[in-house]
Amino acid sequence: MAFQLLVTAGDGIGPEVTREAVSVLQTVFARSGQSLEVTEKRIGGIAIDTDGTPLPADTLEAALASDAVFLGAVGGNKWNALPPSTRPESGLLQLRAALGGFANLRPAFSIAELAANSPLKLDIVSGTDILFVRELLGGLYFGSPREWNRAAGEAWNTMRYTRDEITRVARIAFDLARKRGKKLTSVDKANVLEVSQLWRSTVTDVAADYPDVTLEHQLVDSMAMLLMTSPRNYDVVLTENLFGDILSDESAVITGSLGMLPSATIGGRVNLYEPIHGSAPDIAGKGLANPLGAILTGALVLRHSAGMDAEAEAIESAVRSALQLGFRTADLVRASTTDFTVLSTTEMGKKIRELLPA
Ligand code: IPM
Ligand code: MN
């Protein structure tokens, strides 16, 4: 049976990077003799413009019927005046909730060829290999009550977690730590928030089942600093939704470009795959966008949803080869250097396909 991939390319650079990722996937499937069926549906701002809602019913239906969902990016200046509940981003949040994936895996790694691009010193970033496990369906994003009471000039959101929600994401993080460096850092704000005290006590309880994994707790404010001063100290980092949103963007500076990073959301009915970068409306349609984060996200589809580990590695090694050979998109080059071959979005996609094993 064909692997059913639902593609929701979304807004801004979403469609252009997604096109390259999908074409890399098509190449890989064809070469391994497996069949891939790609369906495209609208989400985000483009769906607001054409369907009047950021998550049309047929998109949701197709997502639930698929083997994996690949999302490009959502949002843009055009829709910035809308309230949170009707913005492009709310389409993504509704999709996340419906698919049910609660563990968002976001790597932050240093790539030797790009290490000099990081604003951090080389000896600080070199060798960094962090995997964030961001809880994706709880906390301030989904907690109620939530409201902006305009008349009262008051607004509130709720950071709420249950022991079960924390336990299930902690288990995924510990399982991953066990297969990696056997260290788990749980991030909270337990010196101020009750919800963080529950988080810390629950994670500590789960740790009893993983005696081979070293658990440490960090407060989110000091973690924000430690990630920049000693990123190599971290292996798996487990956090609640908003802290994970913030720390994973911060940690992208380790890689040197947000455009390189993939993510996978697992644990629910259907896994959801998104590059970490946003819709970057300022460079959309100019051929400047870096498709490598999206292409590496395609590798995660193969690994986590298609059971095609070797093919996932082939994509990852093609990306490494392209960098080693000096191929770059504009975001990866500083104005002053001439040592690289700068490629457009589509040229980089083509290069990766050429570098895949035959
Ligand atoms: C991300 C994004 C989303 C989030 C937005 C677009 C809703 O920033 O995936 O990190 O906050 O989760
Ligand atoms: Mn974010």
Side-chain angles (χ1 to χ4, degrees):
M1 234 175 65
F3 186 88
Q4 303 285 341
L5 182 68
L6 179 74
V7 170
T8 52
D11 306 316
I13 62 169
E16 49 203 286
V17 298
T18 301
R19 197 173 304 126
E20 300 313 316
V22 168
S23 113
V24 167
L25 284 174
Q26 279 162 334
T27 305
V28 167
F29 269 84
R31 292 201 184 153
S32 67
Q34 316 242 36
S35 86
L36 171 67
E37 209 170 291
V38 176
T39 308
E40 292 182 37
K41 293 286 180 190
R42 284 190 286 271
I43 195 168
I46 168 106
I48 294 176
D49 290 353
T50 48
D51 308 63
T53 164
L55 182 65
D58 66 321
T59 301
L60 179 58
E61 198 180 311
L64 288 168
S66 68
D67 293 315
V69 179
F70 188 108
L71 180 124
V74 293
N77 303 335
K78 186 173 171 194
W79 306 281
N80 272 353
L82 297 170
S85 61
T86 57
R87 287 170 67 98
E89 289 83 348
S90 80
L92 172 55
L93 296 175
Q94 289 170 49
L95 179 66
R96 285 177 181 170
L99 297 181
F102 52 82
N104 178 219
L105 315 185
R106 299 191 161 195
F109 42 73
S110 169
I111 302 172
E113 288 73 23
L114 299 179
N117 285 7
S118 172
L120 298 176
K121 293 196 181 80
L122 203 59
D123 63 312
I124 289 182
V125 295
S126 293
T128 297
D129 182 9
I130 301 172
L131 180 63
F132 285 91
V133 179
R134 169 188 174 194
E135 200 292 327
L136 205 63
L137 293 185
L140 285 166
Y141 279 66
F142 290 96
S144 59
R146 60 185 298 157
E147 191 179 326
W148 179 1
N149 185 326
R150 282 158 206 273
E154 197 182 346
W156 54 91
N157 291 89
T158 305
M159 191 188 280
R160 178 177 177 278
Y161 272 104
T162 65
R163 188 169 270 281
D164 286 352
E165 285 168 335
I166 302 165
T167 300
R168 65 183 187 174
V169 73
R171 287 202 173 282
I172 288 196
F174 275 105
D175 284 336
L176 289 162
R178 189 167 254 179
K179 292 191 216 133
R180 293 172 41 106
K182 299 194 166 31
K183 178 171 175 188
L184 190 146
T185 304
S186 174
V187 177
D188 60 42
K189 188 67 184 172
N191 55 346
V192 176
L193 304 175
E194 286 78 2
V195 63
S196 281
Q197 292 180 332
L198 172 68
W199 182 277
R200 192 175 280 216
S201 107
T202 307
V203 173
T204 303
D205 290 347
V206 173
D209 291 340
Y210 298 85
D212 51 325
V213 176
T214 306
L215 168 66
E216 72 167 19
H217 301 280
Q218 289 290 352
L219 297 171
V220 62
D221 50 349
S222 92
M223 188 66 183
M225 183 187 70
L226 291 167
L227 281 166
M228 297 297 102
T229 54
S230 46
R232 258 198 313 271
N233 281 351
Y234 302 99
D235 175 22
V236 173
V237 177
L238 169 65
T239 78
E240 68 86 42
N241 205 345
L242 183 65
F243 298 163
D245 181 46
I246 298 168
L247 295 181
S248 61
D249 263 37
E250 183 199 19
S251 301
V253 309
I254 293 166
T255 307
S257 173
L258 200 52
M260 291 302 301
L261 295 173
S263 92
T265 301
I266 64 173
R269 292 171 65 177
V270 180
N271 293 346
L272 174 64
Y273 298 86
E274 325 167 35
I276 292 187
H277 64 70
S279 62
D282 50 322
I283 59 163
K286 297 183 180 163
L288 293 173
N290 180 351
L292 295 176
I295 289 170
L296 291 170
T297 300
L300 297 186
V301 174
L302 298 179
R303 180 170 297 127
H304 295 288
S305 287
M308 294 166 69
D309 281 31
E311 289 82 355
E313 273 155 40
I315 292 179
E316 286 158 355
S317 93
V319 168
R320 245 185 333 267
S321 303
L323 297 174
Q324 276 158 7
L325 292 168
F327 296 107
R328 299 284 187 276
T329 43
D331 58 310
L332 304 177
V333 186
R334 300 208 206 122
S336 56
T337 38
T338 52
D339 326 343
F340 301 120
T341 311
V342 180
L343 302 181
S344 69
T345 310
T346 50
E347 287 166 344
M348 182 58 97
K350 182 161 174 265
K351 182 57 67 186
I352 301 303
R353 295 197 298 279
E354 283 167 13
L355 290 168
L356 286 169

